[in-house]
Short mmCIF file of all heavy atoms in Angstrom, two decimals:
data_model
loop_
_atom_site.label_atom_id
_atom_site.label_comp_id
_atom_site.label_asym_id
_atom_site.label_seq_id
_atom_site.Cartn_x
_atom_site.Cartn_y
_atom_site.Cartn_z
N MET A 22 209.84 -78.11 33.65
CA MET A 22 210.58 -78.29 32.31
C MET A 22 210.58 -76.98 31.62
O MET A 22 209.57 -76.35 31.46
CB MET A 22 209.83 -79.37 31.55
CG MET A 22 210.46 -79.58 30.15
SD MET A 22 209.70 -81.01 29.27
CE MET A 22 210.62 -82.34 29.96
N PRO A 23 211.65 -76.54 31.07
CA PRO A 23 211.84 -75.29 30.39
C PRO A 23 211.09 -75.30 29.06
O PRO A 23 210.91 -76.32 28.40
CB PRO A 23 213.23 -75.20 30.17
CG PRO A 23 214.06 -76.30 30.61
CD PRO A 23 212.95 -77.27 31.25
N GLU A 24 210.62 -74.13 28.67
CA GLU A 24 209.99 -73.85 27.40
C GLU A 24 211.01 -73.11 26.56
O GLU A 24 211.85 -72.40 27.12
CB GLU A 24 208.82 -72.98 27.48
CG GLU A 24 207.45 -73.43 27.73
CD GLU A 24 206.48 -72.32 27.79
OE1 GLU A 24 205.97 -71.95 26.73
OE2 GLU A 24 206.23 -71.86 28.85
N TYR A 25 210.96 -73.40 25.28
CA TYR A 25 211.98 -72.80 24.35
C TYR A 25 211.15 -72.06 23.26
O TYR A 25 210.11 -72.46 22.80
CB TYR A 25 212.83 -73.76 23.71
CG TYR A 25 213.72 -74.40 24.77
CD1 TYR A 25 213.30 -75.71 25.26
CD2 TYR A 25 214.93 -73.86 25.22
CE1 TYR A 25 214.13 -76.34 26.28
CE2 TYR A 25 215.64 -74.48 26.17
CZ TYR A 25 215.19 -75.64 26.73
OH TYR A 25 215.95 -76.33 27.70
N GLU A 26 211.76 -70.99 22.69
CA GLU A 26 211.12 -70.26 21.56
C GLU A 26 212.29 -69.64 20.80
O GLU A 26 213.29 -69.21 21.28
CB GLU A 26 210.27 -69.15 22.18
CG GLU A 26 209.52 -68.33 21.08
CD GLU A 26 208.55 -67.35 21.76
OE1 GLU A 26 207.55 -67.77 22.47
OE2 GLU A 26 208.75 -66.17 21.61
N VAL A 27 212.05 -69.63 19.42
CA VAL A 27 213.01 -68.96 18.49
C VAL A 27 212.32 -67.85 17.84
O VAL A 27 211.22 -67.95 17.26
CB VAL A 27 213.49 -70.03 17.51
CG1 VAL A 27 214.44 -69.38 16.52
CG2 VAL A 27 214.11 -71.28 18.19
N GLN A 28 212.96 -66.75 17.81
CA GLN A 28 212.53 -65.61 17.05
C GLN A 28 213.64 -65.16 16.04
O GLN A 28 214.73 -65.37 16.22
CB GLN A 28 212.46 -64.36 17.98
CG GLN A 28 211.34 -64.61 19.09
CD GLN A 28 209.96 -64.34 18.64
OE1 GLN A 28 209.72 -63.44 17.89
NE2 GLN A 28 209.02 -65.18 19.05
N GLU A 29 213.18 -64.74 14.85
CA GLU A 29 214.19 -64.30 13.85
C GLU A 29 214.01 -62.85 13.57
O GLU A 29 212.90 -62.35 13.61
CB GLU A 29 214.03 -65.19 12.49
CG GLU A 29 212.75 -64.93 11.75
CD GLU A 29 212.69 -65.77 10.48
OE1 GLU A 29 213.24 -66.93 10.53
OE2 GLU A 29 212.25 -65.24 9.51
N VAL A 30 215.20 -62.29 13.22
CA VAL A 30 215.26 -60.93 12.81
C VAL A 30 215.94 -60.80 11.46
O VAL A 30 217.11 -61.36 11.34
CB VAL A 30 215.92 -60.02 13.77
CG1 VAL A 30 216.20 -58.53 13.36
CG2 VAL A 30 215.21 -59.95 15.20
N ARG A 31 215.32 -60.29 10.47
CA ARG A 31 215.92 -60.10 9.09
C ARG A 31 217.04 -59.14 9.15
O ARG A 31 216.84 -58.08 9.66
CB ARG A 31 214.93 -59.91 8.10
CG ARG A 31 215.47 -59.94 6.57
CD ARG A 31 214.51 -59.90 5.59
NE ARG A 31 213.95 -58.49 5.47
CZ ARG A 31 214.47 -57.52 4.72
NH1 ARG A 31 215.53 -57.72 4.10
NH2 ARG A 31 213.86 -56.34 4.71
N ALA A 32 218.17 -59.41 8.61
CA ALA A 32 219.30 -58.55 8.73
C ALA A 32 219.65 -57.96 7.34
O ALA A 32 219.99 -56.74 7.27
CB ALA A 32 220.60 -59.14 9.34
N THR A 33 219.62 -58.82 6.31
CA THR A 33 220.14 -58.33 4.98
C THR A 33 219.15 -57.29 4.46
O THR A 33 217.93 -57.41 4.55
CB THR A 33 220.08 -59.60 4.04
OG1 THR A 33 220.99 -60.56 4.60
CG2 THR A 33 220.58 -59.20 2.70
N GLY A 34 219.80 -56.27 3.75
CA GLY A 34 219.11 -55.22 3.15
C GLY A 34 218.53 -54.18 4.07
O GLY A 34 217.71 -53.28 3.71
N ARG A 35 218.93 -54.20 5.33
CA ARG A 35 218.48 -53.26 6.33
C ARG A 35 219.66 -52.58 6.89
O ARG A 35 220.76 -53.07 6.97
CB ARG A 35 217.66 -53.97 7.45
CG ARG A 35 216.46 -54.74 6.77
CD ARG A 35 215.71 -55.52 7.82
NE ARG A 35 215.08 -54.53 8.71
CZ ARG A 35 215.00 -54.72 10.09
NH1 ARG A 35 215.38 -55.87 10.65
NH2 ARG A 35 214.31 -53.76 10.84
N THR A 36 219.39 -51.42 7.44
CA THR A 36 220.61 -50.64 8.03
C THR A 36 220.89 -51.28 9.49
O THR A 36 220.00 -51.94 10.05
CB THR A 36 220.20 -49.14 8.28
OG1 THR A 36 219.12 -49.11 9.23
CG2 THR A 36 219.79 -48.47 7.06
N PRO A 37 222.13 -51.25 9.85
CA PRO A 37 222.39 -51.85 11.21
C PRO A 37 221.57 -51.22 12.30
O PRO A 37 221.22 -51.86 13.26
CB PRO A 37 223.91 -51.35 11.34
CG PRO A 37 224.44 -51.25 10.06
CD PRO A 37 223.26 -50.77 9.22
N GLU A 38 221.22 -49.89 12.09
CA GLU A 38 220.35 -49.22 13.12
C GLU A 38 219.07 -49.93 13.23
O GLU A 38 218.46 -50.06 14.30
CB GLU A 38 220.28 -47.76 12.87
CG GLU A 38 221.53 -46.90 12.97
CD GLU A 38 222.42 -47.08 11.78
OE1 GLU A 38 221.99 -47.50 10.71
OE2 GLU A 38 223.66 -46.65 11.91
N ALA A 39 218.40 -50.22 12.08
CA ALA A 39 217.12 -50.89 12.07
C ALA A 39 217.09 -52.28 12.68
O ALA A 39 216.25 -52.71 13.43
CB ALA A 39 216.65 -50.89 10.60
N VAL A 40 218.24 -52.97 12.38
CA VAL A 40 218.33 -54.34 12.99
C VAL A 40 218.55 -54.27 14.45
O VAL A 40 217.89 -54.93 15.25
CB VAL A 40 219.56 -55.12 12.28
CG1 VAL A 40 219.80 -56.46 12.99
CG2 VAL A 40 219.33 -55.24 10.86
N THR A 41 219.42 -53.32 14.95
CA THR A 41 219.57 -53.07 16.41
C THR A 41 218.32 -52.78 17.01
O THR A 41 218.01 -53.24 18.14
CB THR A 41 220.67 -52.03 16.54
OG1 THR A 41 221.88 -52.47 15.93
CG2 THR A 41 220.91 -51.80 18.09
N GLU A 42 217.54 -51.82 16.37
CA GLU A 42 216.24 -51.37 17.05
C GLU A 42 215.21 -52.65 17.16
O GLU A 42 214.62 -52.79 18.16
CB GLU A 42 215.61 -50.36 16.14
CG GLU A 42 214.41 -49.71 16.74
CD GLU A 42 213.89 -48.57 15.92
OE1 GLU A 42 214.70 -47.68 15.42
OE2 GLU A 42 212.63 -48.46 15.70
N ASP A 43 215.19 -53.39 16.14
CA ASP A 43 214.40 -54.63 16.17
C ASP A 43 214.83 -55.59 17.30
O ASP A 43 214.01 -56.18 17.99
CB ASP A 43 214.27 -55.36 14.84
CG ASP A 43 213.30 -54.71 13.88
OD1 ASP A 43 212.73 -53.72 14.18
OD2 ASP A 43 213.27 -55.20 12.77
N LEU A 44 216.14 -55.83 17.40
CA LEU A 44 216.68 -56.71 18.39
C LEU A 44 216.37 -56.17 19.76
O LEU A 44 216.00 -56.91 20.78
CB LEU A 44 218.13 -56.80 18.30
CG LEU A 44 218.70 -57.71 17.11
CD1 LEU A 44 220.19 -57.59 16.99
CD2 LEU A 44 218.29 -59.16 17.35
N ASN A 45 216.60 -54.89 19.99
CA ASN A 45 216.29 -54.32 21.34
C ASN A 45 214.82 -54.40 21.72
O ASN A 45 214.52 -54.70 22.87
CB ASN A 45 216.77 -52.89 21.43
CG ASN A 45 218.29 -52.74 21.47
OD1 ASN A 45 218.91 -53.63 21.93
ND2 ASN A 45 218.78 -51.63 21.01
N LEU A 46 213.92 -54.14 20.75
CA LEU A 46 212.53 -54.26 21.01
C LEU A 46 212.16 -55.69 21.40
O LEU A 46 211.40 -55.98 22.34
CB LEU A 46 211.71 -53.79 19.76
CG LEU A 46 210.17 -53.80 19.94
CD1 LEU A 46 209.75 -52.95 21.06
CD2 LEU A 46 209.58 -53.40 18.61
N LEU A 47 212.64 -56.73 20.58
CA LEU A 47 212.33 -58.03 20.86
C LEU A 47 212.86 -58.46 22.17
O LEU A 47 212.14 -59.18 22.88
CB LEU A 47 212.97 -58.86 19.66
CG LEU A 47 212.66 -60.40 19.74
CD1 LEU A 47 211.20 -60.68 19.71
CD2 LEU A 47 213.37 -61.03 18.65
N LEU A 48 214.08 -58.06 22.50
CA LEU A 48 214.65 -58.45 23.85
C LEU A 48 213.86 -57.85 25.03
O LEU A 48 213.57 -58.53 25.90
CB LEU A 48 216.10 -57.98 23.93
CG LEU A 48 217.18 -58.75 23.17
CD1 LEU A 48 218.48 -58.07 23.20
CD2 LEU A 48 217.22 -60.23 23.54
N LYS A 49 213.40 -56.66 24.76
CA LYS A 49 212.60 -56.01 25.88
C LYS A 49 211.23 -56.78 26.01
O LYS A 49 210.87 -57.08 27.07
CB LYS A 49 212.34 -54.55 25.55
CG LYS A 49 211.64 -53.79 26.55
CD LYS A 49 211.37 -52.31 26.16
CE LYS A 49 210.63 -51.64 27.17
NZ LYS A 49 210.41 -50.26 26.81
N GLU A 50 210.60 -57.08 24.90
CA GLU A 50 209.39 -57.86 24.93
C GLU A 50 209.40 -59.16 25.60
O GLU A 50 208.66 -59.56 26.46
CB GLU A 50 208.77 -57.94 23.57
CG GLU A 50 208.20 -56.71 22.98
CD GLU A 50 207.78 -56.88 21.49
OE1 GLU A 50 207.97 -58.00 20.90
OE2 GLU A 50 207.19 -55.88 20.91
N ARG A 51 210.48 -59.95 25.10
CA ARG A 51 210.59 -61.25 25.65
C ARG A 51 211.00 -61.29 27.17
O ARG A 51 210.61 -62.11 27.90
CB ARG A 51 211.75 -61.99 24.87
CG ARG A 51 211.36 -62.22 23.40
CD ARG A 51 210.46 -63.35 23.19
NE ARG A 51 209.08 -62.88 23.17
CZ ARG A 51 207.88 -63.50 23.41
NH1 ARG A 51 208.01 -64.77 23.75
NH2 ARG A 51 206.77 -62.94 23.44
N THR A 52 211.96 -60.48 27.57
CA THR A 52 212.45 -60.46 28.96
C THR A 52 211.30 -59.94 29.84
O THR A 52 211.20 -60.55 31.05
CB THR A 52 213.76 -59.56 29.11
OG1 THR A 52 213.45 -58.28 28.64
CG2 THR A 52 214.94 -60.22 28.44
N THR A 53 210.54 -59.05 29.46
CA THR A 53 209.45 -58.62 30.33
C THR A 53 208.33 -59.76 30.39
O THR A 53 207.47 -59.72 31.38
CB THR A 53 208.79 -57.27 29.95
OG1 THR A 53 208.31 -57.40 28.56
CG2 THR A 53 209.72 -56.15 30.08
N ALA A 54 208.25 -60.58 29.47
CA ALA A 54 207.31 -61.72 29.47
C ALA A 54 207.90 -62.90 30.23
O ALA A 54 207.34 -64.04 30.25
CB ALA A 54 206.91 -62.08 28.10
N GLY A 55 209.11 -62.83 30.82
CA GLY A 55 209.66 -63.89 31.55
C GLY A 55 210.70 -64.86 30.81
O GLY A 55 211.04 -65.83 31.34
N TRP A 56 210.98 -64.44 29.56
CA TRP A 56 211.90 -65.24 28.85
C TRP A 56 213.36 -64.80 29.03
O TRP A 56 213.62 -63.57 29.31
CB TRP A 56 211.57 -65.16 27.35
CG TRP A 56 210.33 -65.73 26.95
CD1 TRP A 56 209.12 -65.14 26.84
CD2 TRP A 56 210.03 -67.10 26.50
NE1 TRP A 56 208.13 -66.04 26.51
CE2 TRP A 56 208.69 -67.30 26.27
CE3 TRP A 56 210.96 -68.22 26.38
CZ2 TRP A 56 208.12 -68.42 25.88
CZ3 TRP A 56 210.36 -69.42 25.98
CH2 TRP A 56 209.02 -69.53 25.71
N ARG A 57 214.31 -65.67 28.80
CA ARG A 57 215.78 -65.35 29.01
C ARG A 57 216.43 -65.73 27.71
O ARG A 57 216.26 -66.84 27.12
CB ARG A 57 216.31 -66.24 30.21
CG ARG A 57 217.85 -65.99 30.38
CD ARG A 57 218.33 -66.84 31.47
NE ARG A 57 218.29 -68.30 31.27
CZ ARG A 57 219.17 -68.97 30.59
NH1 ARG A 57 220.35 -68.38 30.09
NH2 ARG A 57 219.06 -70.25 30.33
N LEU A 58 217.23 -64.72 27.22
CA LEU A 58 217.98 -64.98 25.96
C LEU A 58 219.04 -66.03 26.21
O LEU A 58 219.86 -65.93 27.17
CB LEU A 58 218.63 -63.82 25.42
CG LEU A 58 219.46 -63.82 24.07
CD1 LEU A 58 218.55 -64.29 23.00
CD2 LEU A 58 220.20 -62.52 23.87
N ASN A 59 219.03 -67.07 25.37
CA ASN A 59 220.00 -68.26 25.53
C ASN A 59 221.14 -68.10 24.49
O ASN A 59 222.28 -68.18 24.84
CB ASN A 59 219.26 -69.53 25.37
CG ASN A 59 220.10 -70.77 25.86
OD1 ASN A 59 221.27 -70.65 26.22
ND2 ASN A 59 219.38 -71.89 25.87
N THR A 60 220.87 -67.93 23.26
CA THR A 60 221.78 -67.89 22.15
C THR A 60 221.29 -66.98 20.94
O THR A 60 220.13 -66.92 20.71
CB THR A 60 221.97 -69.29 21.54
OG1 THR A 60 222.33 -70.23 22.63
CG2 THR A 60 223.10 -69.33 20.51
N ILE A 61 222.27 -66.36 20.36
CA ILE A 61 221.96 -65.60 19.00
C ILE A 61 222.80 -66.31 18.01
O ILE A 61 224.06 -66.46 18.23
CB ILE A 61 222.37 -64.15 19.15
CG1 ILE A 61 221.49 -63.46 20.21
CG2 ILE A 61 222.11 -63.51 17.70
CD1 ILE A 61 221.88 -61.96 20.36
N GLN A 62 222.16 -66.67 16.91
CA GLN A 62 222.92 -67.43 15.84
C GLN A 62 222.55 -66.75 14.57
O GLN A 62 221.40 -66.63 14.17
CB GLN A 62 222.41 -68.92 15.71
CG GLN A 62 223.11 -69.63 14.68
CD GLN A 62 222.69 -71.15 14.73
OE1 GLN A 62 222.00 -71.63 15.58
NE2 GLN A 62 223.21 -71.85 13.76
N PRO A 63 223.64 -66.26 13.77
CA PRO A 63 223.38 -65.78 12.48
C PRO A 63 223.24 -66.88 11.45
O PRO A 63 223.89 -67.92 11.59
CB PRO A 63 224.73 -64.93 12.20
CG PRO A 63 225.69 -65.65 12.98
CD PRO A 63 225.04 -66.19 14.17
N ILE A 64 222.26 -66.70 10.53
CA ILE A 64 221.91 -67.69 9.51
C ILE A 64 221.87 -66.98 8.17
O ILE A 64 221.37 -65.90 8.07
CB ILE A 64 220.55 -68.34 9.80
CG1 ILE A 64 220.49 -68.99 11.16
CG2 ILE A 64 220.15 -69.33 8.68
CD1 ILE A 64 221.38 -70.26 11.28
N ILE A 65 222.52 -67.56 7.20
CA ILE A 65 222.48 -67.10 5.78
C ILE A 65 221.66 -68.05 4.92
O ILE A 65 221.95 -69.27 4.95
CB ILE A 65 223.87 -66.91 5.23
CG1 ILE A 65 224.72 -65.97 6.03
CG2 ILE A 65 223.84 -66.39 3.77
CD1 ILE A 65 224.30 -64.58 6.11
N TYR A 66 220.73 -67.57 4.20
CA TYR A 66 219.95 -68.35 3.27
C TYR A 66 220.19 -67.93 1.92
O TYR A 66 220.62 -66.88 1.69
CB TYR A 66 218.41 -68.20 3.57
CG TYR A 66 218.01 -68.74 4.95
CD1 TYR A 66 217.48 -67.84 5.86
CD2 TYR A 66 217.98 -70.05 5.23
CE1 TYR A 66 217.10 -68.27 7.07
CE2 TYR A 66 217.54 -70.57 6.49
CZ TYR A 66 217.11 -69.65 7.45
OH TYR A 66 216.65 -70.09 8.63
N ASN A 67 219.65 -68.75 0.97
CA ASN A 67 219.72 -68.33 -0.52
C ASN A 67 221.08 -67.85 -1.04
O ASN A 67 221.19 -66.80 -1.58
CB ASN A 67 218.66 -67.21 -0.79
CG ASN A 67 217.33 -67.67 -0.32
OD1 ASN A 67 216.99 -68.74 -0.39
ND2 ASN A 67 216.47 -66.65 0.01
N SER A 68 222.04 -68.63 -0.78
CA SER A 68 223.40 -68.38 -1.35
C SER A 68 223.89 -66.99 -0.92
O SER A 68 224.35 -66.18 -1.72
CB SER A 68 223.43 -68.51 -2.88
OG SER A 68 223.04 -69.74 -3.23
N SER A 69 223.84 -66.77 0.35
CA SER A 69 224.43 -65.47 0.99
C SER A 69 223.55 -64.24 0.56
O SER A 69 224.12 -63.14 0.73
CB SER A 69 225.86 -65.41 0.63
OG SER A 69 226.57 -66.48 1.02
N THR A 70 222.41 -64.36 0.14
CA THR A 70 221.67 -63.21 -0.21
C THR A 70 220.73 -62.71 0.80
O THR A 70 220.29 -61.51 0.85
CB THR A 70 220.87 -63.33 -1.60
OG1 THR A 70 220.02 -64.44 -1.29
CG2 THR A 70 221.88 -63.63 -2.75
N THR A 71 220.35 -63.60 1.76
CA THR A 71 219.41 -63.32 2.78
C THR A 71 219.93 -63.74 4.10
O THR A 71 220.14 -64.99 4.25
CB THR A 71 217.91 -63.86 2.54
OG1 THR A 71 217.52 -63.54 1.21
CG2 THR A 71 216.93 -63.35 3.57
N GLY A 72 220.07 -62.84 5.03
CA GLY A 72 220.63 -63.22 6.35
C GLY A 72 219.58 -62.88 7.48
O GLY A 72 218.86 -61.93 7.44
N TYR A 73 219.66 -63.72 8.49
CA TYR A 73 218.77 -63.57 9.70
C TYR A 73 219.54 -63.78 10.90
O TYR A 73 220.67 -64.35 10.92
CB TYR A 73 217.61 -64.61 9.70
CG TYR A 73 216.65 -64.32 8.61
CD1 TYR A 73 216.85 -64.96 7.30
CD2 TYR A 73 215.53 -63.69 8.85
CE1 TYR A 73 215.86 -64.80 6.33
CE2 TYR A 73 214.49 -63.54 7.80
CZ TYR A 73 214.69 -64.08 6.62
OH TYR A 73 213.79 -63.79 5.62
N LEU A 74 219.10 -63.16 11.99
CA LEU A 74 219.60 -63.49 13.27
C LEU A 74 218.50 -64.31 14.06
O LEU A 74 217.45 -63.84 14.12
CB LEU A 74 219.92 -62.21 14.11
CG LEU A 74 221.03 -61.30 13.51
CD1 LEU A 74 221.11 -60.05 14.39
CD2 LEU A 74 222.40 -62.10 13.47
N LEU A 75 218.92 -65.53 14.43
CA LEU A 75 217.88 -66.23 15.18
C LEU A 75 218.21 -66.05 16.67
O LEU A 75 219.34 -66.25 17.10
CB LEU A 75 218.09 -67.79 14.77
CG LEU A 75 217.79 -68.11 13.40
CD1 LEU A 75 218.00 -69.70 13.25
CD2 LEU A 75 216.39 -67.61 12.94
N LEU A 76 217.21 -65.81 17.47
CA LEU A 76 217.41 -65.62 18.85
C LEU A 76 216.64 -66.77 19.52
O LEU A 76 215.44 -66.92 19.32
CB LEU A 76 216.74 -64.20 19.33
CG LEU A 76 217.59 -63.04 18.94
CD1 LEU A 76 217.54 -62.71 17.54
CD2 LEU A 76 217.23 -61.84 19.74
N PHE A 77 217.36 -67.51 20.34
CA PHE A 77 216.80 -68.65 21.03
C PHE A 77 216.58 -68.21 22.56
O PHE A 77 217.50 -67.78 23.29
CB PHE A 77 217.87 -69.77 21.09
CG PHE A 77 218.01 -70.42 19.74
CD1 PHE A 77 219.00 -69.76 18.80
CD2 PHE A 77 217.34 -71.41 19.30
CE1 PHE A 77 219.16 -70.29 17.54
CE2 PHE A 77 217.56 -71.93 18.03
CZ PHE A 77 218.40 -71.44 17.16
N PHE A 78 215.24 -68.35 22.96
CA PHE A 78 214.91 -67.93 24.30
C PHE A 78 214.50 -69.13 25.12
O PHE A 78 214.04 -70.16 24.54
CB PHE A 78 213.66 -66.95 24.16
CG PHE A 78 214.08 -65.57 23.70
CD1 PHE A 78 213.87 -65.33 22.32
CD2 PHE A 78 214.55 -64.61 24.57
CE1 PHE A 78 214.21 -64.06 21.83
CE2 PHE A 78 214.83 -63.36 24.06
CZ PHE A 78 214.64 -63.14 22.66
N GLU A 79 214.64 -69.08 26.46
CA GLU A 79 214.28 -70.11 27.37
C GLU A 79 213.51 -69.62 28.50
O GLU A 79 213.76 -68.48 28.91
CB GLU A 79 215.54 -70.82 27.89
CG GLU A 79 215.32 -71.94 28.76
CD GLU A 79 216.65 -72.49 29.25
OE1 GLU A 79 217.71 -72.14 28.66
OE2 GLU A 79 216.61 -73.27 30.24
N ARG A 80 212.44 -70.30 28.91
CA ARG A 80 211.65 -69.81 30.06
C ARG A 80 211.30 -71.01 30.95
O ARG A 80 210.95 -72.01 30.46
CB ARG A 80 210.33 -69.16 29.65
CG ARG A 80 209.46 -68.76 30.74
CD ARG A 80 208.41 -67.86 30.41
NE ARG A 80 207.37 -68.51 29.54
CZ ARG A 80 206.32 -67.99 29.02
NH1 ARG A 80 206.09 -66.66 29.32
NH2 ARG A 80 205.54 -68.54 28.23
N GLU A 81 211.54 -70.94 32.22
CA GLU A 81 211.20 -71.97 33.13
C GLU A 81 209.66 -72.03 33.34
O GLU A 81 209.14 -70.92 33.55
CB GLU A 81 211.85 -71.81 34.53
CG GLU A 81 213.32 -72.12 34.50
CD GLU A 81 213.72 -73.62 34.20
OE1 GLU A 81 212.83 -74.43 34.58
OE2 GLU A 81 214.70 -73.76 33.51
N SER A 82 209.01 -73.12 33.22
CA SER A 82 207.60 -73.17 33.39
C SER A 82 207.22 -73.60 34.80
O SER A 82 207.94 -73.95 35.57
CB SER A 82 206.89 -74.21 32.53
OG SER A 82 207.72 -74.99 31.76
#
């Protein structure tokens, strides 16, 4: 049965380069640990003032 995990990366108030760096680091860490990226979903909270990218990972157990 697959395992699932969700990681979030804060996007609002940060430079695109910082967000990209965090995404790349997270992807590298997760894929080397046996996780596969399934979906990326942008989420806006607090009336469009705070945004996150949610990364959904899956791993076969």
